[in-house]
Amino acid sequence: MPRFSQSVSSLRSSAIRELMSLASRPDIISFAGGMPGNDLFPVEEVEELFRNLDSRTRQAAFQYGPTPGLPSLLESLGGFLEKKGLPVKKNRLMVTTGSQQALNLLANVFIDPGDRVLVENPCFIGALSAFRSCRAQIKGIAVDSEGIDAGELLLETAKSPKAKFLYITPYFHNPAGILYSESRKLELIGAIEGKDIPLIEDDAYGDLYFHEKERPRLRPLKAIDPEGIDICYTGSFSKILGPGLRLGWLLAPEPIASKCELLKQSADACSPSFTQVLADAFIRSGKIYAYIEKVRLEYKTRAQAMSAALREHLPAYVSWNEPSGGFYIWLNLPESADASEIMKKSIEGGAVFVAGKTFDPDGTKNNALRLSYCNNTPGEILRGVPVVAEAIRALCG
């Protein structure tokens, strides 16, 4: 009989991954996965960029690379991030195998079994999985329409033993879809400043805003660069080029980044050189900016289609925030609702979503659900939303 480690025994399968098999069924409209639309990938542009590379660069794409990333990509990615105001030169930049690896590296750098870490509630399931794999004690702090509850955060940061870090997704939150307000970000800074509690700032969706008026609120906390806080900023090419590249990044203070590099050496030695070459060419050509603008407008159209359908079909007791960017809409149901039962009913009708308890650090609160509009045409959205609404009415009245 295999004797598994306590770390792996504490893991549980991602409900989202289990639901992905439904997405391939032709009779199911899936609002479950946070996947970019297949029809939106810049296939022709990337093919052309690769063909125009010199032979030496194309050969290098097939070779091993340095653990922190190919120097050419680190340079071009650094310039891309500096345009957001990020202090690249004051920190170390690393290329990771998806931003999920960045979270796993940080988890292993900071967490000993039983350590307390602070997260939002609801929280990105990938982060919860990474922290659980290190046997962390995860404390979820409620999120409202402006961000993490600052009062509750202040109480948690005063407790002993001290939390190892705070993890947040402030820009079109996964799963809640919210964008942190400027005042809430300043309150967050005040709550952890000088307390030796590092901040992990996960920014996978910040480029996908729908309205120019939101841009000032998209300035990363890492760009503010407050004194007395070690901020580890993570991001990804998954939403602005393609998740199949498996490329993300970590921008962190030198002592933290150097420890992450040591761990990455033992994990995969280096991220894929082939896709790093493609990402570098995409940035240097300038095509990345036009592509981001293109997909931003398309996701805005899809979000508006879903919002309109929700307004038309949902009962009045369901509330949600109008999306201003990103991939998701979070539906709040009556306290007595069971989103898992609603999901079963919805699948019978031909539509699937993710139940709220998937994103609850304790895995219990289930009177909410996440809808994703990114991988659906407006026509699919208009057909699928009434199915979800009918399931809610059937179970909640």
Side-chain angles (χ1 to χ4, degrees):
M1 186 71 179
R3 292 172 293 158
F4 296 116
S5 70
Q6 292 181 9
S7 295
V8 76
S9 297
S10 68
L11 297 178
R12 60 176 184 255
S13 178
S14 166
I16 297 174
R17 293 297 171 193
E18 292 175 352
L19 291 171
M20 293 302 285
S21 61
L22 288 171
S24 60
R25 281 175 43 182
D27 60 323
I28 292 288
I29 295 173
S30 177
F31 299 135
M35 302 184 299
N38 286 3
D39 56 317
L40 300 179
F41 292 136
V43 177
E44 291 80 11
E45 293 94 326
V46 172
E47 285 178 341
E48 181 184 3
L49 286 170
F50 189 75
R51 283 196 303 269
N52 290 335
L53 293 174
D54 61 77
S55 59
R56 185 174 179 179
T57 303
R58 281 184 284 177
Q59 289 169 353
F62 288 84
Q63 190 53 273
Y64 292 113
T67 299
L70 296 180
S72 182
L73 177 58
L74 289 172
E75 180 183 72
S76 61
L77 176 59
F80 177 78
L81 296 178
E82 284 179 331
K83 289 186 177 181
K84 299 174 185 282
L86 289 157
V88 175
K89 292 181 175 61
K90 289 176 59 178
N91 293 265
R92 276 273 303 279
L93 179 61
M94 278 181 57
V95 174
T96 57
T97 307
S99 60
Q100 182 65 36
Q101 184 183 59
L103 297 180
N104 273 280
L105 294 174
L106 290 166
N108 280 278
V109 161
F110 286 118
I111 299 170
D112 288 313
D115 280 346
R116 194 166 59 98
V117 300
L118 307 178
V119 304
E120 301 153 317
N121 189 5
C123 182
F124 169 46
I125 184 62
L128 293 177
S129 297
F131 307 155
R132 286 192 186 110
S133 72
C134 295
R135 298 171 59 197
Q137 177 189 341
I138 302 174
K139 172 59 183 178
I141 299 173
V143 169
D144 61 26
S145 61
E146 292 191 51
I148 196 166
D149 186 301
E152 189 178 350
L153 175 62
L154 194 60
L155 291 174
E156 290 296 331
T157 58
K159 289 182 178 178
S160 183
K162 190 180 300 182
K164 276 297 183 72
F165 57 76
L166 166 65
Y167 168 81
I168 59 170
T169 54
Y171 315 105
F172 313 122
H173 185 280
N174 180 8
I178 62 164
L179 174 62
Y180 273 42
S181 69
E182 283 298 298
S183 60
R184 190 61 58 87
K185 286 197 288 188
L186 293 176
E187 288 180 286
L188 184 155
I189 290 171
I192 64 172
E193 202 166 18
K195 293 186 178 177
D196 194 25
I197 298 177
L199 173 66
I200 300 176
E201 183 181 21
D202 191 350
D203 186 9
Y205 302 93
D207 288 304
L208 303 180
Y209 58 89
F210 299 156
H211 310 288
E212 284 295 317
K213 66 179 182 180
E214 306 291 6
R215 290 189 69 178
R217 295 170 62 186
L218 294 167
R219 185 188 182 198
L221 286 155
K222 184 72 175 173
I224 297 174
D225 200 19
E227 290 290 332
I229 305 177
D230 287 325
I231 300 180
C232 305
Y233 178 87
T234 68
S236 175
F237 283 103
S238 292
K239 311 304 188 290
I240 58 172
L241 183 49
L245 274 70
R246 303 314 304 134
L247 291 180
W249 58 81
L250 168 64
L251 183 66
E254 169 67 34
I256 298 172
S258 62
K259 295 293 186 186
C260 288
E261 182 178 338
L262 290 173
L263 285 175
K264 182 171 169 61
Q265 287 175 358
S266 65
D268 64 0
C270 62
S271 296
S273 295
F274 195 94
T275 53
Q276 288 188 68
V277 166
L278 296 179
D280 178 47
F282 202 59
I283 295 172
R284 290 180 183 276
S285 70
K287 293 180 184 294
I288 191 169
Y289 300 102
Y291 178 69
I292 290 173
E293 178 64 21
K294 172 187 172 182
V295 296
R296 181 188 296 139
L297 293 174
E298 180 58 34
Y299 292 135
K300 179 181 179 181
T301 298
R302 298 179 184 195
Q304 289 174 334
M306 181 168 279
S307 293
L310 291 172
R311 284 193 295 269
E312 179 179 353
H313 295 286
L314 281 184
Y317 54 74
V318 181
S319 63
W320 74 94
N321 294 315
E322 287 279 336
S324 56
F327 279 8
Y328 310 109
I329 295 179
W330 182 250
L331 303 188
N332 294 292
L333 307 171
E335 283 292 329
S336 60
D338 185 341
S340 296
E341 292 302 313
I342 295 170
M343 183 177 68
K344 292 176 185 176
K345 186 72 174 176
S346 182
I347 291 171
E348 291 175 6
V352 65
F353 52 81
V354 187
K357 70 177 182 181
T358 303
F359 308 99
D360 178 8
D362 296 324
T364 57
K365 189 173 176 60
N366 206 27
N367 64 321
L369 59 91
R370 190 191 78 175
L371 297 174
S372 172
Y373 46 77
C374 52
N375 196 36
N376 303 97
T377 65
E380 290 170 337
I381 291 169
L382 294 178
R383 293 197 308 273
V385 165
V387 174
V388 177
E390 183 178 342
I392 291 173
R393 291 182 187 275
L395 273 295
C396 298

